[in-house]
Amino acid sequence: MLNINNLKASIGDKDILKGVSLSINKGEVHALMGPNGSGKSTLAYVLSGKDKYEVNEGTVDFKGKNLLNMNVEERANNGLFLAFQYPMEIPGVQTSFFLRTAINAKRKFNNLPELDALEFAKLLKLKAQELNINSDMLKRDLNVDYSGGEKKKQEILQLSMLNPDLAILDETDSGLDIDALRIVSEGVNKARNKENSFLVITHYQRLLNYIKPDFVHIIADGKIVKSGDYSLALELEDQGYEKMAKA
Amino acid sequence: MNVDKFIENIKNKEINTYFQKNLLAVNPFKSHKIENYKYSQLNKIDFNKSHNYIHELNLNTKDNFLDDFQKSKVREGISSDHISWNFNGPDSAIRLSGLIEDPFNHIFNLDNINNDICIIDLSLYEEINFVFNYTKNKKISIVIIDSNYNIHKSPKCFKFNVYEKSNIEILQMSYNKNTSLIFYEFNQFNSSVVNLTVLQANNIHLRNEYYFNLGSDCICKISGANFSNLGINDNYSFIQHSKPNSSSREIFKSIVDHGAITNFQGKIYVNKIAQKTDGYQMSRSLLLDDISKSNNKPELEIYADDVKCSHGSTVSNINEDHLYYFNSRGISSELAAKILKKAFIQEVLDSIENISLKELSDKMINEFL
Ligand SMILES: Nc1ncnc2c1ncn2[C@@H]1O[C@H](COP(=O)(O)OP(=O)(O)OP(=O)(O)O)[C@@H](O)[C@H]1O
Ligand SMILES: [Mg+2]
């Protein structure tokens, strides 16, 4: 699915990613953990194609294609999805309208007919219910005045509507209350199948109790310093980054 | 960028350069408090016919805005290529022609209209002055169409006398590549309501002025959206709160592209006795490139001491982060920009109350976005 090899990236003249290598296969869930400022979000942004980052070295292969050659929208339409750590507020654009535009953009890219208003409404209702999002909220402007947790849920709603091949969740769990965390995790688990993959960025092992990862990676100072299975997250919870880094 | 767009850019740039060289006043903003607009210089336009007209402006403006016009002439239309969409207005919509009671003074009594919507197509009239009187409590909606068909070489002056407790909604749609000059004077009697929405798109040279004189307990709403990709567009508003307890709310949004210039100057003037006035004014501009310009000048002049007035003004570009968010969901930048532009003026479209007028304005906006 995704093959990152020795990826180095910077912003301005500041090097942030200092040689990240990571391989994710179809059907796998990987967790990425690491201290604040270690480059987790940067990695997510670079993979999504945000242009303020400069890629200086390395390769990224996504489904057999060179990801770095695509622009942001091509990456999305090819099946990459990033659930943002801080979702943007867009005044004047209704949430449901945004979702419909996004879904139809992807369908158009795949040479599928656009969903008509009725089909879309049905799908949206179903998906929103699964995430316990009430329909009034979808009539509001995208993320505007949503609470922190509501914004995160909204990102996962987009994920479940767009059905990506690879989803990167950047701290989706922070800001969610206990019930919301369970509901969102269930949503993610439901979207999970043999054909798609997830990269879950988190600070808390708790999320990983719900979304069981196949692999856990620890990133520090722009490099993956340790990889293992689920037990690595438990170890980390127990010992903290500092001890782990020394070990 | 495709070839057509490229050529259009060059073409627009040439025209804009001409406008900037010849029309833009050297120092558009004077400092004195009673100043009126001086953004563009009408006497520099290639006018070829002069018009005299009478205007009964009864506000306390010392620098009468008519001076310019008495000196100047109005030019020939540059082009009259027709932009068209179908307005399937409700049966109740009528055209105003035929309602003229007095062909010289053009005084209309809106009370005689039984319809909910009244359409005034400026291309049908050579006349300059219109006076409308309305006294009914029932809300009436008026659409003023200023299209490319309007090649008359005259400014249009509308005077609305909105009598006690009456309620009027007006939608002006300007998409006129000729010089478009429209002036309004609203006399709002006590407890009357006026809701004016102005949509202006791709006008090469436009100047609209709105003068409001408010009695007590009035509501006055002005919402404007301007798309400019050519020339100079000026909007000027003067809202005078003459008596207590009235509220005025004005929002004006401009989207400027291809090196065009838009100007907005709006003043809220509160008389000494107009206590409990609630005035709000906001102008925002979205610049789509770095050669376009937008001048916004909000003003307050307040002589009463118990009032609530605020104003603000912003100029910005399309938010890159917003674009990125759209892109990250597979939506092209082109479509995203269109949606964001619409979002920018949504507030203006939302101010329209009548459903058919809403539909009509939606069609117009989609045509020009
Ligand atoms: N625009 C920028 N200019 C300069 N430095 C930046 C910029 N954006 C990010 N950085 C720096 O890059 C480093 C990595 O940031 P990043 O957001 O990827 O961290 P993170 O691992 O996601 O942290 P957190 O756990 O707090 O979300 C940080 O030191 C941050 O200050
Ligand atoms: Mg982060």
Side-chain angles (χ1 to χ4, degrees), chain B residues 26-289:
Chain B
V26 183
N27 181 12
F29 296 109
K30 290 192 297 184
S31 58
H32 197 262
K33 258 199 162 179
I34 58 152
E35 83 188 46
N36 267 340
Y37 67 85
K38 281 286 180 286
Y39 302 115
S40 57
Q41 310 179 93
L42 292 183
N43 52 5
K44 292 243 177 128
I45 307 179
D46 184 17
F47 293 122
N48 62 8
K49 205 178 176 184
S50 65
H51 286 276
N52 295 318
Y53 62 92
I54 330 130
H55 190 91
E56 309 152 14
L57 193 75
N58 56 9
L59 302 178
N60 310 332
T61 47
K62 283 185 198 155
D63 195 1
N64 195 314
F65 78 91
L66 292 174
D67 288 355
D68 248 8
F69 282 100
Q70 275 152 0
K71 276 184 250 143
S72 62
K73 302 148 236 164
V74 179
R75 70 173 168 161
E76 292 279 352
I78 291 175
S79 77
S80 59
D81 51 318
H82 299 156
I83 295 165
S84 63
W85 62 82
N86 294 320
F87 173 37
N88 300 315
D91 295 339
S92 62
I94 56 157
R95 293 200 176 256
L96 205 65
S97 52
L99 276 172
I100 300 178
E101 291 175 346
D102 172 344
F104 296 105
N105 287 318
H106 316 302
I107 298 172
F108 301 86
N109 188 350
L110 293 172
D111 292 353
N112 295 338
I113 296 172
N114 292 317
N115 314 60
D116 298 330
I117 299 176
C118 164
I119 301 173
I120 303 169
D121 184 340
L122 297 186
S123 69
L124 301 178
Y125 307 98
E126 285 278 7
E127 295 82 4
I128 299 165
N129 282 306
F130 298 85
V131 179
F132 295 90
N133 294 317
Y134 192 57
T135 68
K136 280 191 186 168
N137 190 287
K138 185 183 131 210
K139 198 185 90 193
I140 188 170
S141 301
I142 295 172
V143 187
I144 294 173
I145 298 175
D146 174 23
S147 67
N148 283 329
Y149 291 97
N150 177 18
I151 52 168
H152 301 307
K153 305 167 197 75
S154 52
K156 303 290 182 198
C157 299
F158 292 98
K159 175 171 175 166
F160 285 88
N161 292 315
V162 187
Y163 287 95
E164 235 160 83
K165 291 188 186 145
S166 53
N167 184 338
I168 239 177
E169 168 175 32
I170 296 165
L171 170 64
Q172 176 200 323
M173 304 196 303
S174 288
Y175 49 101
N176 185 349
K177 291 204 165 148
N178 312 299
T179 289
S180 165
L181 307 166
I182 302 179
F183 307 107
Y184 294 92
E185 180 195 329
F186 287 88
N187 288 309
Q188 280 192 244
F189 289 73
N190 297 349
S191 306
S192 62
V193 179
V194 172
N195 179 10
L196 170 67
T197 306
V198 180
L199 305 177
Q200 305 162 338
N202 298 5
N203 299 279
I204 291 186
H205 183 232
L206 169 145
R207 183 182 287 172
N208 283 182
E209 304 189 2
Y210 317 92
Y211 292 81
F212 281 80
N213 193 4
L214 308 183
S216 67
D217 303 285
C218 290
I219 296 174
C220 156
K221 265 178 81 176
I222 311 173
S223 316
N226 174 292
F227 302 154
S228 286
N229 58 10
L230 266 184
I232 302 181
N233 283 206
D234 289 346
N235 282 283
Y236 176 83
S237 78
F238 183 102
I239 301 169
Q240 170 163 301
H241 287 260
S242 303
K243 291 185 178 174
N245 293 322
S246 285
S247 78
S248 63
R249 183 174 186 280
E250 176 170 27
I251 48 172
F252 209 97
K253 309 240 178 155
S254 304
I255 301 179
V256 202
D257 202 358
H258 297 302
I261 300 179
T262 66
N263 304 305
F264 172 83
Q265 183 179 359
K267 181 185 266 191
I268 302 174
Y269 179 102
V270 183
N271 267 7
K272 206 167 173 184
I273 62 156
Q275 302 294 1
K276 306 280 181 203
T277 286
D278 182 355
Y280 173 80
Q281 185 197 83
M282 178 57 75
S283 57
R284 292 190 193 280
S285 302
L286 192 63
L287 300 182
L288 299 184
D289 60 28

Side-chain angles (χ1 to χ4, degrees), chain A residues 20-56:
Chain A
V20 172
S21 297
L22 179 67
S23 237
I24 301 178
N25 295 316
K26 253 192 199 174
E28 290 176 354
V29 173
H30 291 235
L32 182 64
M33 305 179 82
N36 296 132
S38 55
K40 303 180 295 298
S41 294
T42 302
L43 177 63
Y45 283 136
V46 168
L47 292 176
S48 83
K50 192 168 186 171
D51 68 0
K52 70 174 188 181
Y53 299 93
E54 191 84 43
V55 174
N56 305 314

